[in-house]
Amino acid sequence: MGDITVKGGIPLYGKVCIQGSKNAALPILAASLLHEGISIIHNCPRILDVENTVQILREAGCLVKWQENSLIISAGNIQNTRISSEYATQMRSSVIFLGSLLGRMGSASIPLPGGCTIGKRPIDIHLSAMENMGVRITEENEMILAKAERLKGTKIMLRFPSVGATENTILAAVLAEGTTIIQNAAQEPEIAELCRFLNEKGAKIKGAGSEKIVIEGVRSLQDSEFVLMSDRIVAGTYLMAAMSAGGEICLEKAPIFQMTAQLKVLKEMGASMRYDKDQIQLKAPRRAKSLAMVMTRPYPGFPTDLQSQLLAVLCRAEGRSKIIENIFEGRYQIVPQLRKMGAKIEIISQEAQIEGVEKLEGTAVRACELRGGAALIIAGLGASGVTKIEDSWFIKRGYEDICGDLRTLGAVVG
């Protein structure tokens, strides 16, 4: 994906189907390493982060092939527990292989993770959990070296409900000796989806989706087929796109029950919505209303992965709005780009104060990370003239075909 150009001022109309979940797919792909057999994952999004994860699996010794939007993984012959930096440093989620490689092989060598530059995101929570389970960890030449003769279940209190640390601990605990109890666990739907995948393979996990998860170690797992849930962040992105451009759209295969916080915010901005099973219909107001304050929080709060998209919409809302970012300190990298388009935004520490303007002006902007890149498309849809988004490869990390989906809704984008 090269540069993306967006012609603004065209309302969106029609239906679009939501892809499989990125944030669920990545840990589930890592989890496939735990089983010396076959895992088939349906509705898997063909995005850059998944492609990089597939290369890591192949590097480890897995046989992996695509069959339309299904991935077939055979992990019977794992020979390599060292992940090269070629793929791992391109995405933060590579650290999730720490738990699965330790669980399967008892050792792992992983580069310090990369991905989007939205914050420090320290992995000490992950490493502390592994050490509590008997793992010896050292750092050498930008690599994390981990080894354990036998992982042992224990009680682990996470100091913050980190999604990645929760997932890593679950992956390490599935084949460990004894019972592992994770307290202050992350409650995101992607955690429950990982546990559902593992339980269908024969794991014994209770409490998925709650702050206390109990994993009773088993000796082995079994072959399975699994249908991945839809992506709540992609769904939210497209709803924000309609709020920016105007119009009326319908999302099919939308994970409605996982989107309570974002749907509440959309209603407060003046959206009219109807729900039917897994469909969401949204009719945008002439101009969005301002929001007194929105704070990003761990699930079930408003997701940090939709903060940039919301910010793009609020740039043209009536009145003043405020956003407080509580998860990642680098989420406001999009602000200088939005200012180029005429947005009035003031940043004070982790708080964004937005004064809505009548219109934004299309211009050349640059994506700095995944969700901010998608937010620039949203801003362009509601702007006058043409917006050109450079470094748009970031967007491919999480969106299967955002340009094609928006064209289906009538946007002029490509």
Side-chain angles (χ1 to χ4, degrees):
M1 182 185 286
D3 297 344
I4 293 175
T5 57
V6 183
K7 184 177 179 180
I10 301 173
L12 304 182
Y13 292 95
K15 295 182 179 181
V16 68
C17 188
I18 301 304
Q19 69 184 56
S21 169
K22 164 190 180 289
N23 289 339
L26 303 183
I28 285 173
L29 292 180
S32 68
L33 278 176
L34 292 171
H35 171 52
E36 300 180 22
I38 304 295
S39 301
I40 302 175
I41 302 164
H42 301 293
N43 196 37
C44 193
R46 300 194 74 152
I47 56 177
L48 186 58
D49 272 14
V50 165
E51 295 291 355
N52 283 329
T53 303
V54 165
Q55 293 305 319
I56 292 173
L57 289 171
R58 287 174 174 154
E59 197 175 49
C62 296
L63 298 176
V64 187
K65 68 176 181 179
W66 284 99
Q67 196 168 77
E68 295 182 350
N69 269 65
S70 299
L71 266 182
I72 303 170
I73 304 163
S74 176
N77 188 31
I78 302 302
Q79 299 177 330
N80 179 27
T81 63
R82 182 184 178 91
I83 295 176
S84 69
S85 60
E86 180 181 358
Y87 302 109
T89 53
Q90 295 183 43
M91 57 179 189
R92 172 71 182 183
S93 56
S94 60
V95 74
I96 209 68
F97 281 93
L98 183 64
S100 57
L101 283 171
L102 283 167
R104 170 78 180 271
M105 305 296 291
S107 66
S109 300
I110 297 180
L112 293 174
C116 284
T117 56
I118 58 172
K120 297 176 182 177
R121 298 193 284 185
I123 62 169
D124 60 302
I125 304 177
H126 302 241
L127 303 183
S128 175
M130 298 299 104
E131 288 174 332
N132 286 341
M133 298 179 72
V135 179
R136 299 186 302 279
I137 295 174
T138 57
E139 186 178 327
E140 182 179 305
N141 297 326
E142 299 293 310
M143 295 287 291
I144 299 167
L145 311 179
K147 192 171 183 62
E149 293 181 7
R150 183 77 170 114
L151 289 169
K152 295 185 180 296
T154 186
K155 290 184 178 180
I156 296 172
M157 170 66 77
L158 300 179
R159 62 175 174 80
F160 178 81
S162 160
V163 173
T166 301
E167 292 169 341
N168 245 336
T169 307
I170 291 169
L171 292 172
V174 166
L175 299 178
E177 180 181 305
T179 299
T180 301
I181 300 174
I182 308 172
Q183 294 178 311
N184 198 31
Q187 300 177 51
E188 271 71 4
E190 294 79 14
I191 302 290
E193 191 78 339
L194 172 62
C195 294
R196 184 168 72 90
F197 170 78
L198 288 166
N199 281 339
E200 289 184 12
K201 294 189 79 66
K204 295 182 178 179
I205 306 172
K206 296 180 180 179
S210 73
E211 63 181 14
K212 180 181 178 181
I213 300 176
V214 180
I215 307 109
E216 181 183 341
V218 298
R219 294 182 64 85
S220 62
L221 300 175
Q222 63 197 23
D223 291 357
S224 65
E225 288 193 44
F226 187 81
V227 180
L228 194 68
M229 69 183 188
S230 298
D231 196 306
R232 62 192 174 101
I233 304 302
V234 171
T237 298
Y238 292 170
L239 293 175
M240 294 290 178
M243 290 294 288
S244 179
E248 185 170 357
I249 67 169
C250 176
L251 304 185
E252 297 182 324
K253 294 187 179 179
I256 297 170
F257 295 108
Q258 301 171 8
M259 299 171 64
T260 301
Q262 51 183 288
L263 295 177
K264 179 176 180 290
V265 164
L266 286 161
K267 286 181 179 178
E268 290 173 356
M269 287 194 292
S272 174
M273 286 182 286
R274 295 196 305 272
Y275 315 112
D276 181 18
K277 295 181 180 179
D278 62 352
Q279 286 191 345
I280 300 175
Q281 289 183 288
L282 179 144
K283 183 177 181 180
R286 187 191 66 80
R287 188 178 177 191
K289 298 177 182 177
S290 60
L291 298 172
M293 183 173 67
V294 176
M295 302 177 70
T296 63
R297 294 189 182 279
Y299 188 85
F302 189 85
T304 182
D305 277 355
L306 277 176
Q307 185 258 93
S308 295
Q309 298 90 313
L310 174 62
L311 178 61
V313 175
L314 291 176
C315 287
R316 292 179 55 244
E318 296 183 79
R320 295 182 63 87
S321 302
K322 181 189 295 185
I323 295 176
I324 298 177
E325 173 57 55
N326 287 310
I327 309 298
F328 295 136
E329 71 277 8
R331 275 288 190 201
Y332 292 131
Q333 292 182 54
I334 189 179
V335 170
Q337 307 304 312
L338 291 173
R339 285 175 178 156
K340 287 182 183 179
M341 301 176 71
K344 295 182 178 180
I345 307 169
E346 183 179 1
I347 302 298
I348 304 172
S349 184
Q350 292 306 104
E351 180 179 306
Q353 297 179 0
I354 310 108
E355 182 179 342
V357 297
E358 280 284 344
K359 64 177 181 177
L360 298 175
E361 296 289 344
T363 188
V365 291
R366 184 178 300 277
C368 299
E369 42 90 10
L370 165 58
R371 305 305 177 185
L376 290 173
I377 293 178
I378 290 172
L381 290 170
S384 299
V386 175
T387 299
K388 179 181 178 182
I389 302 157
E390 301 170 355
D391 284 347
S392 63
W393 67 268
F394 278 107
I395 302 168
K396 187 64 176 174
R397 289 190 52 224
Y399 297 87
E400 202 166 41
D401 187 11
I402 190 171
C403 293
D405 286 342
L406 291 172
R407 283 194 297 269
T408 296
L409 298 174
V412 178
V413 56

